[in-house]
Amino acid sequence: MKLFDGLKLAALFFVLVSSSSAADPCSTISTSLSAAANVYKSNSTGYNLAIEHWLLSSIEEPQCVVEPSNAADIGAILKTVAATRTPFAVKGGGHTSNKGFSSTTGVHISLAQFNYTRLDTATQTVAIGAGTRWISAYTTLNGTGFNVVGGRNPSVGVAGFTLGGGYSWKTNAHGLAIDNLLQVSIVLPNGTATLASATQNKDLFFALKGGFNNFGIVTEFVFRAIPQDLPLISLQGGHLSYAASDITKVNAAVAAFEQQNTDTRAAIVSGITGLPGANGTFAQPIAAVQLFYDGPVVPEGMFADFFAIPTVSNNWGGPITFLAWSGKDGGVSSLRGVFHAFSTLPHTPEFLQDVVDEVSAFGAELGPKSAAYLSVAIEPFMSGALSSPASSSSAYPPVRSPVLLPSNIFFGYTDASQDAAFHSAVARIQANIVAKARARGLIYPESQGGSIYANYALGGTDGAHVVDFYGEEHLAKLRCVREEVDPLGVMRLAGGWKI
């Protein structure tokens, strides 16, 4: 791949500039931005809003916040942080649980001005800015007759979600978000703006589909527009919760749905959840299920097994709009928290009971340490959900058949002094669950392309490793692309999954 003949010249430029750059990168940046851009210093309103994250434990306090308004601003920022070797972060939605991935003690780049969604009905495409959250995109698309393959949580940012792969309520019918990505606008580490697509900078396009922020700063994604049923009432869905005494029945219903469903419009997510009781103790885990049908009429019997079990709460209804189904952006959580990930072959009731047992055991351990919420999300997809395009089209996943089912572990808590304890605990429960899944034959061998989903994975020395996401072959290709576009390692000054 030959992106730019001038990369070596740009590298020399950075070396020369670094010897004369100001010691304060924020001051240097402030003199090189457009009039619409902003630079915020500590304790200002703009600063405090920009560094917010969904989880309190993800926040760091940077030297300054820089809010670019266009690609040229981003290019100027990259040149300065490169020349001064200043750590930086890029925040789109701010939903990561890993501190340092979209936060920093250096220069914090906020993409708040890249918050837009533009539907082109003539080409049936949707352009979304990299500072947009999914709730904003869905609000714009509501009532247009079109949608995108996007996030299931409305407060998640479009950028991190897409650059990691993107599992959606629409994945059974349309694949991952990256499978519907047509073009990416990006500012490369040398400050140059360019495009990547299936016909332009093809290797870079491959790398961006799962490879995160290793290749520059993305400013815009162009997605294929997916028809959404009209009139405005368009789908049916609901959230059902069950008593702990019925969790075995719910697990059996989840496994049966995985095995029997052939309707690409239907999807579920099941949660095995521990909640605090009195005096920091945790009750036995409960089960909750989200039922989704992407159409105004649900085939008879589609979710019958779930409705046959008595519920504690049940808001099933519809038809409703996709926007109403997505819910509201909850803003900043009052919790600290950690995520982790594992992926398996289709679940069995016995394995799901293993997960229940683990959540119960960790509830007993973590309840006295301010645990507020312990959950493992089970996310079934159909066997053909990722069949198109080929695995060679994207960095993630390394194989598309069999479909590996991602699961998200989330531990929420309130006591900042327990950060290390919860980080350790989520690593341990993940290792325990994977060991039990492996013993039951549900872990696809890493040597054949077994992987986990990076958007859910724990960072740090006891967390995941990049080879866990891509496999050796795709990781080698990613590193070649990185060397081509970032010979000076500018993006290694930013947090995130580094290849």
Side-chain angles (χ1 to χ4, degrees):
M1 179 185 67
K2 293 184 178 180
L3 281 175
F4 298 98
D5 294 333
L7 276 174
K8 291 183 179 179
L9 182 60
L12 177 60
F13 170 80
F14 285 150
V15 171
L16 292 174
V17 170
S18 64
S19 64
S20 58
S21 293
D24 177 11
C26 298
S27 297
T28 303
I29 289 169
S30 66
T31 64
S32 60
L33 301 180
S34 65
N38 296 303
V39 177
Y40 300 114
K41 292 300 182 71
S42 179
N43 294 322
S44 65
T45 300
Y47 178 99
N48 293 333
L49 287 174
I51 67 173
E52 284 183 345
H53 280 67
W54 183 63
L55 291 169
L56 300 178
S57 49
S58 301
I59 297 172
E60 294 185 282
E61 294 190 4
Q63 293 175 245
C64 64
V65 169
V66 184
E67 188 183 275
S69 68
N70 54 47
D73 287 340
I74 293 175
I77 297 166
L78 283 172
K79 289 177 181 178
T80 298
V81 296
T84 58
R85 308 309 292 178
T86 301
F88 69 97
V90 184
K91 179 190 165 190
H95 201 268
T96 180
S97 73
N98 289 313
K99 180 182 284 189
F101 275 39
S102 57
S103 61
T104 182
T105 57
V107 172
H108 178 107
I109 303 171
S110 167
L111 297 181
Q113 293 196 37
F114 294 82
N115 178 10
Y116 58 83
T117 301
R118 298 167 183 155
L119 169 66
D120 186 329
T121 56
T123 60
Q124 296 195 9
T125 59
V126 182
I128 305 180
T132 308
R133 290 190 175 101
W134 284 113
I135 186 63
S136 177
Y138 295 147
T139 299
T140 299
L141 295 172
N142 189 45
T144 65
F146 291 98
N147 208 336
V148 287
V149 178
R152 290 169 291 191
N153 185 324
S155 62
V156 167
V158 171
F161 173 88
T162 304
L163 293 172
Y167 289 91
S168 170
W169 288 117
K170 296 176 177 289
T171 287
N172 278 338
H174 301 288
L176 300 169
I178 54 175
D179 299 336
N180 297 274
L181 186 60
L182 302 177
Q183 181 177 279
V184 176
S185 299
I186 184 172
V187 181
L188 296 174
N190 70 346
T192 305
T194 191
L195 302 176
S197 69
T199 58
Q200 182 176 357
N201 297 321
K202 292 187 288 185
D203 286 350
L204 177 59
F205 193 49
F206 161 90
L208 290 169
K209 292 190 286 184
F212 293 101
N213 68 347
N214 286 283
F215 314 99
I217 298 179
V218 172
T219 58
E220 181 182 273
F221 304 89
V222 178
F223 295 96
R224 181 180 296 109
I226 304 298
Q228 185 71 52
D229 289 333
L230 286 176
L232 297 185
I233 50 174
S234 59
L235 59 87
Q236 298 217 19
H239 301 241
L240 286 65
S241 66
Y242 303 87
S245 58
D246 286 321
I247 200 165
T248 301
K249 295 177 184 177
V250 178
N251 288 342
V254 170
F257 179 86
E258 287 188 38
Q259 296 166 7
Q260 299 167 10
N261 178 50
T262 58
D263 191 331
T264 59
R265 289 189 169 213
I268 69 170
V269 172
S270 173
I272 296 170
T273 303
L275 297 171
N279 302 318
T281 61
F282 263 61
Q284 286 300 303
I286 64 169
V289 181
Q290 293 175 272
L291 307 177
F292 171 86
Y293 193 79
D294 199 6
V297 180
V298 180
E300 185 176 355
M302 169 59 67
F303 300 121
D305 288 350
F306 298 102
F307 293 128
I309 305 168
T311 58
V312 173
S313 64
N314 179 350
N315 69 352
W316 171 265
I320 59 175
T321 66
F322 190 87
L323 176 62
W325 164 253
S326 297
K328 298 180 180 180
D329 185 346
V332 177
S333 168
S334 60
L335 297 176
R336 309 178 75 80
V338 285
F339 296 155
H340 209 346
F342 62 91
S343 294
T344 70
L345 296 166
H347 310 99
T348 64
E350 295 78 13
F351 169 68
L352 295 177
Q353 183 60 48
D354 291 338
V355 176
V356 172
D357 294 343
E358 289 294 330
V359 172
S360 179
F362 276 84
E365 174 189 336
L366 298 174
K369 299 178 180 179
S370 81
Y373 188 86
L374 309 178
S375 180
V376 177
I378 304 298
E379 304 181 9
F381 292 101
M382 295 172 63
S383 60
L386 307 185
S387 59
S388 179
S391 60
S392 59
S393 69
S394 58
Y396 175 85
V399 296
R400 288 175 173 261
S401 180
V403 171
L404 302 182
L405 307 177
S407 284
N408 173 231
I409 307 168
F410 172 47
F411 284 2
Y413 59 99
T414 58
D415 185 350
S417 71
Q418 298 294 334
D419 283 351
F422 277 85
H423 193 283
S424 170
V426 81
R428 286 186 286 117
I429 193 174
Q430 190 262 7
N432 292 353
I433 291 173
V434 168
K436 291 182 176 181
R438 196 181 303 278
R440 295 190 183 279
L442 301 183
I443 297 296
Y444 194 64
E446 290 84 351
S447 61
Q448 298 178 37
S451 64
I452 64 174
Y453 183 42
N455 271 341
Y456 296 164
L458 179 72
T461 56
D462 56 349
H465 304 282
V466 290
V467 71
D468 299 332
F469 315 139
Y470 310 116
E472 294 288 357
E473 182 180 349
H474 282 197
L475 182 57
K477 185 172 181 180
L478 285 169
R479 285 172 172 162
C480 287
V481 176
R482 183 201 67 199
E483 289 301 316
E484 179 73 19
V485 302
D486 192 16
L488 289 179
V490 176
M491 298 310 298
R492 298 186 75 80
L493 295 168
W497 297 113
K498 298 293 100 173
I499 58 171

